[in-house]
Amino acid sequence: MKKNQLWKRLSAGLLAGAMLLGLTACGGGANDPAPTQSGAPAPTAPASGTPAPTAPAAPEGYSTNYKGKTTYADIAEQLRADQTLDLSGLDSQMFKITGYAQGYNFDDAWFGSLAQMVNSGCQVVLASGSAQFAFNFGGLPREAGETEIRVGGVDSLTQEFADLLSGGVYNFCSGSYPSMIAPAVALTLRALEGGKLVDGDGNAAAVNMSHLVANSPEELEEIMTEDASGSYALGAGAVSAMMGADYSAFEGMVSNAGWDQIKDLKSQYASADVTPLSKSYKIGILRNDVTSDEALAYEAYLNELAQAMGFTVTFSESTDGNATNEVNQIQTWAAAGFDAVITLSSGSFYDQATTCDSNNMPLCIFAFHPEEDDLLDLNTLDSYLGAVGPAKYNEGEVGYRMAKYYIEQGSTDFSIFGGSIMFGAEQHAYRVGGMIAAMIEAETGVPCPDFS
């Protein structure tokens, strides 16, 4: 077993609690090329018709930083090293981080930390994980007329978050959509049909997916309507086109794609031919989140896609993010003659891949990107098809966009919910790194080269 797998197994049980709350749309890629354009919509001013207030400028030349770090990636790695955010770490004359909470302990101390975060004097709560925490556990009302505090978060684009948006307190919703998993299916079917897709260096695919953003119930309703049963944005025609594309075209279709690009793909391939498969493949879907709206949305999409394309999918019970449970499930599927596995379970990608490799079953990762030391080993395995989901760039981007949205409305005092930073989670650290990078950019006037 690789040296870092012990830590991953120890932390997996803790991370599973986060995943059960709909945090599947997370990642952290090893090699994250920064696209020239953002995959998320540009922030907009309030719809009231009055000009947005402007935050006061810092003295010219003031060196704003977080513990000496100024880029989103360096800040994120500092957060990971510390396993927390230091409220005194932000050196700024314009912005304050007034409160912070993290983890998923669900004990009295944890609930108390959430209440302190919300009541710390902030104008906005920025949540790197489930934004519902601020409402359900922090004591915030849902109606905008009952509090001046606003909340933005990264999670998923489902009805439960549409309900929050309708109240007006939660007004930045970002996350995953059901057919976001389509490229993982395309990579899997392509490999089963004898054509594993690799990049120019012979490595397995790495497809970076952007979080979509909605700032109103109407915007979220459009996304949910356009990506729903009977009319998914990335349907069987689009998946078939991905199966036949070379690496550059495949990546260009969906990598870092914003909502407009996804809608264009839907229109382009709505009536496209569906690739006939040589057999009815049996694909296992390995997961530790089985009950959230997000998990059920993925399940509905995969069932409908399987019926349209002529393969079958079987969904695991919760693995609890445990590497042993993951391996046991894969062995059970191998004994039953399954052809491939798509994993949404993050206990040990290395153990999953080696188990699949020993059983000649291709494995594709969805919603995560392996860390660099894992990726080097995974790319030596014929069974490893690659990863699809938000990479480190995308996680930093969504945090940056969220903070900038509120900064452009004049907000200067923030509380942050750090999610699983205390467990070493890469995706949550990079989201918070992006938040702080937006503050540094606004204060110094120096555009962030990654996202601007």
Side-chain angles (χ1 to χ4, degrees):
M1 182 183 298
K2 296 171 72 272
K3 61 180 180 173
N4 67 335
Q5 295 304 321
L6 177 60
W7 158 245
K8 292 187 177 182
R9 290 189 179 192
L10 290 172
S11 62
L14 297 170
L15 284 167
M19 298 303 295
L20 292 174
L21 290 159
L23 303 184
T24 326
C26 307
N31 300 301
D32 304 339
T36 57
Q37 295 183 351
S38 165
T44 57
S48 63
T50 60
T54 303
E60 185 176 354
Y62 188 81
S63 180
T64 315
N65 65 87
Y66 177 80
K67 301 183 81 169
K69 308 297 191 296
T70 57
T71 69
Y72 84 97
D74 287 346
I75 295 167
E77 291 304 324
Q78 183 68 59
L79 295 169
R80 295 185 74 202
D82 296 342
Q83 296 188 328
T84 189
L85 182 145
D86 183 353
L87 290 179
S88 64
L90 179 63
D91 185 358
S92 168
Q93 293 193 356
M94 182 184 296
F95 298 103
K96 293 180 183 177
I97 301 176
T98 64
Y100 179 72
Q102 64 179 8
Y104 300 92
N105 297 333
F106 299 101
D107 56 17
D108 289 344
W110 182 72
F111 284 106
S113 71
L114 291 168
Q116 289 176 349
M117 174 191 71
V118 168
N119 295 300
S120 63
C122 65
Q123 298 163 302
V124 178
V125 176
L126 304 174
S128 70
S130 175
Q132 292 197 86
F133 283 119
F135 295 95
N136 297 342
F137 309 126
L140 271 180
R142 295 178 182 232
E143 299 300 320
E146 298 179 25
T147 178
E148 294 183 356
I149 296 174
R150 295 296 179 260
V151 179
V154 188
D155 202 296
S156 54
L157 305 176
T158 59
Q159 186 58 50
E160 59 186 335
F161 290 96
D163 294 341
L164 286 177
L165 282 169
S166 66
V169 173
Y170 181 59
N171 59 354
F172 187 102
C173 180
S174 54
S176 65
Y177 49 100
S179 66
M180 193 176 190
I181 197 172
V185 179
L187 288 173
T188 302
L189 293 176
R190 181 188 180 112
L192 291 172
E193 289 289 292
K196 177 181 175 179
L197 187 66
V198 297
D199 66 14
D201 296 323
N203 294 320
V207 182
N208 302 340
M209 302 287 282
S210 285
H211 302 274
L212 300 186
V213 175
N215 298 119
S216 69
E218 293 76 19
E219 290 176 347
L220 183 51
E221 180 63 32
E222 178 191 344
I223 294 172
M224 291 193 299
T225 300
E226 292 289 338
D227 197 45
S229 179
S231 183
Y232 284 108
L234 300 177
V239 172
S240 295
M242 292 179 211
M243 289 175 62
D246 62 21
Y247 193 88
S248 177
F250 183 94
E251 189 175 41
M253 289 177 72
V254 293
S255 185
N256 302 305
W259 180 230
D260 287 345
Q261 184 174 340
I262 297 299
K263 287 194 296 182
D264 287 345
L265 287 171
K266 179 178 182 177
S267 177
Q268 182 177 355
Y269 295 107
S271 302
D273 292 336
V274 177
T275 299
L277 302 176
S278 60
K279 61 174 283 190
S280 179
Y281 295 108
K282 294 164 62 175
I283 301 175
I285 310 298
L286 193 66
R287 55 191 186 159
N288 54 8
D289 175 9
V290 300
T291 59
S292 72
D293 281 4
E294 183 180 45
L296 297 176
Y298 288 136
E299 185 174 317
Y301 169 73
L302 288 168
N303 278 323
E304 190 166 310
L305 184 67
Q307 184 174 6
M309 297 193 71
F311 62 94
T312 63
V313 286
T314 298
F315 300 89
S316 74
E317 297 298 322
S318 174
T319 64
D320 294 323
N322 179 279
T324 300
N325 293 343
E326 292 169 346
V327 168
N328 289 342
Q329 180 63 76
I330 292 171
Q331 293 284 25
T332 298
W333 283 335
F338 276 59
D339 298 290
V341 175
I342 297 175
T343 181
L344 289 75
S345 184
S346 59
S348 171
F349 295 135
Y350 183 75
D351 286 358
Q352 292 176 44
T354 53
T355 304
C356 284
D357 202 58
S358 65
N359 288 284
N360 297 313
M361 298 169 64
L363 171 77
C364 189
I365 298 172
F366 174 64
F368 305 89
H369 281 262
E371 295 190 33
E372 292 177 9
D373 56 347
D374 268 345
L375 191 59
L376 292 172
D377 292 322
L378 289 171
N379 271 318
T380 66
L381 302 174
D382 290 337
S383 66
Y384 177 62
L385 303 181
V388 172
K392 289 189 289 190
Y393 170 85
N394 305 107
E395 303 295 3
E397 175 195 41
V398 74
Y400 167 89
R401 298 292 169 194
M402 179 162 54
K404 187 172 182 178
Y405 174 78
Y406 293 105
I407 290 169
E408 290 190 344
Q409 296 181 33
S411 298
T412 58
D413 297 351
F414 297 93
S415 281
I416 293 176
F417 176 70
S420 295
I421 289 176
M422 67 184 297
F423 307 137
E426 194 173 59
Q427 67 271 27
H428 290 178
Y430 274 79
R431 291 173 189 172
V432 176
M435 297 172 195
I436 298 174
M439 299 177 199
I440 292 172
E441 175 187 85
E443 182 161 349
T444 63
V446 178
C448 177
D450 299 290
F451 310 120
S452 297

